[in-house]
Amino acid sequence: METAYHVPVLLPDAIEGMNLQPGGTYVDVTFGGGGHTRLLLEKLQGGKAVAFDRDPDARENIIEDSRLTFVAEDFQFIENILVQQGFAPVDGILADLGVSSHQFDTAERGFSFRFDAPLDMRMNPTKGISAMDMLYDYPEAELLRVFREYGELPNARRVVRLLVGGRSRSRIETTRQLEALIQPCIPPREQAKYLAQVYQAMRIEVNEEMASLEGLLRGAEAVLRPGGRLVVIAYHSLEDRMVKRFLRAGNLEGVVEKDFYGKPLAPWKLITRKPIFPTDAEIAANPRARSARMRIAEKI
């Protein structure tokens, strides 16, 4: 299932976790290179599959199969789209969150600090604001929120002051301009890790990733039939924390409500009480899998 576009993470475990029924309807909300969807279709003897991806590049990987419907939209709209198109209720939903290998490796997309490239970072380059727009237009307080909340930078205030000072002289348009400005903040021995946090913060904000994930979780609860499975692969603690709380309690706060008799009212049965991680062999073959963790729950 490996392609030049993307190497799917935890591939057999994710498909097994969906507990496929031959005639069921299953949704892959992060189609990418199509690896998870392709194996899903191979395992289905009938049934239907729906694949979401807002990145126009992913459309080049569409699988020619009459059982597959491709939706070129953000997965936060999953409930409305599946209901409107007559697919709900569904039997399983898979989300492999984060950035595809293709997005990281395409320099002009601006997702990686490995290249000198325009600071774009949009999953869909035709919609929304780019990272360079954000750095130029956001008030100082909003930039501070982004780098503290989404990058978890210990010196976020200093970073923002350097960025605000830099943009007063000229627009910050490329990865190298950005890195030159914040160089005094980067720990010499942890440069790659630190820049990854900086880029993660900008990417999450530009693509509204946490809002999209919230929409996905609420939508999944609405469209899954009882007994249907939700499988989520997350790559950083912010995503995983939201998923963990929602699956444990049915809300984003993670507070388990109880009925009059003290019985928990959470709408999910946890199939994995602890996350599943890639094996050492998978990480050796695909280093980008190293931060992945997968959670599976069944709708009650």
Side-chain angles (χ1 to χ4, degrees):
M1 298 303 163
E2 180 175 338
T3 68
Y5 190 99
H6 184 66
V7 181
V9 175
L10 290 163
L11 178 57
D13 304 271
I15 299 304
E16 181 180 349
M18 295 182 80
N19 190 30
L20 298 181
Q21 305 302 311
T25 300
Y26 296 90
V27 187
D28 179 355
V29 301
T30 47
F31 179 73
H36 287 109
T37 297
R38 189 170 287 105
L39 183 57
L40 189 160
L41 288 167
E42 288 179 8
K43 297 290 185 180
L44 283 180
Q45 296 175 13
K48 301 175 183 177
V50 183
F52 283 69
D53 205 305
R54 57 175 154 170
D55 189 337
D57 289 354
R59 299 172 200 176
E60 300 299 319
N61 304 314
I62 293 176
I63 301 163
E64 295 299 328
D65 191 308
S66 61
R67 297 170 297 167
L68 175 65
T69 299
F70 183 83
V71 180
E73 291 287 353
D74 186 334
F75 56 60
Q76 71 172 303
F77 306 118
I78 183 173
E79 180 181 358
N80 288 342
I81 290 170
L82 293 183
V83 170
Q84 289 172 3
Q85 296 195 15
F87 290 108
V90 300
D91 299 280
I93 298 172
L94 168 65
D96 181 7
L97 305 175
V99 183
S100 71
S101 298
H102 170 78
Q103 290 166 331
F104 271 129
D105 293 339
T106 305
E108 59 268 26
R109 300 294 297 271
F111 283 101
S112 175
F113 52 82
R114 292 182 293 129
F115 310 106
D116 184 10
L119 281 167
D120 193 310
M121 296 193 185
R122 289 173 294 174
M123 298 287 189
N124 184 343
T126 68
K127 294 183 179 180
I129 65 166
S130 66
M132 71 175 77
D133 293 331
M134 183 196 77
L135 292 177
Y136 188 74
D137 295 332
Y138 271 30
E140 184 172 346
E142 280 296 284
L143 286 176
L144 184 59
R145 173 189 61 81
V146 169
F147 288 108
R148 272 184 174 169
E149 185 174 340
Y150 297 150
E152 300 179 293
L153 298 178
N155 56 354
R157 187 173 295 278
R158 188 183 180 200
V159 168
V160 170
R161 285 175 178 167
L162 290 172
L163 291 173
V164 171
R167 76 183 184 186
S168 69
R169 297 186 293 273
S170 64
R171 189 176 173 90
I172 308 165
E173 296 186 336
T174 70
T175 56
R176 292 295 177 261
Q177 285 177 298
L178 168 66
E179 291 156 33
L181 274 175
I182 66 171
Q183 192 62 45
C185 299
I186 303 174
R189 295 183 180 180
E190 296 186 324
Q191 182 164 326
K193 178 182 177 182
Y194 187 87
L195 286 174
Q197 290 174 268
V198 170
Y199 278 60
Q200 172 184 292
M202 294 188 292
R203 192 198 79 224
I204 290 174
E205 177 68 16
V206 165
N207 295 290
E208 300 181 337
E209 290 181 29
M210 301 311 292
S212 290
L213 179 56
E214 178 180 346
L216 169 63
L217 294 172
R218 296 190 189 281
E221 183 182 340
V223 300
L224 276 170
R225 70 174 75 251
R229 294 278 182 92
L230 175 61
V231 178
V232 183
I233 304 171
Y235 292 85
H236 58 76
S237 59
L238 297 173
E239 293 173 336
D240 188 55
R241 191 179 304 127
M242 181 182 286
V243 173
K244 178 181 178 180
R245 288 175 175 173
F246 193 85
L247 296 183
R248 183 178 67 181
N251 57 64
L252 300 178
E253 294 73 33
V255 178
V256 179
E257 298 179 2
K258 298 181 180 180
D259 65 14
F260 180 79
Y261 301 100
K263 182 180 178 181
L265 295 173
W268 301 99
K269 172 187 175 183
L270 297 180
I271 303 302
T272 54
R273 294 198 170 272
K274 293 185 178 180
I276 295 172
F277 296 95
T279 63
D280 291 341
E282 180 173 3
I283 294 171
N286 178 19
R288 286 173 178 162
R290 64 184 178 276
S291 58
R293 76 250 10 213
M294 181 171 69
R295 297 184 186 273
I296 306 171
E298 186 173 286
K299 184 178 176 182
I300 296 173

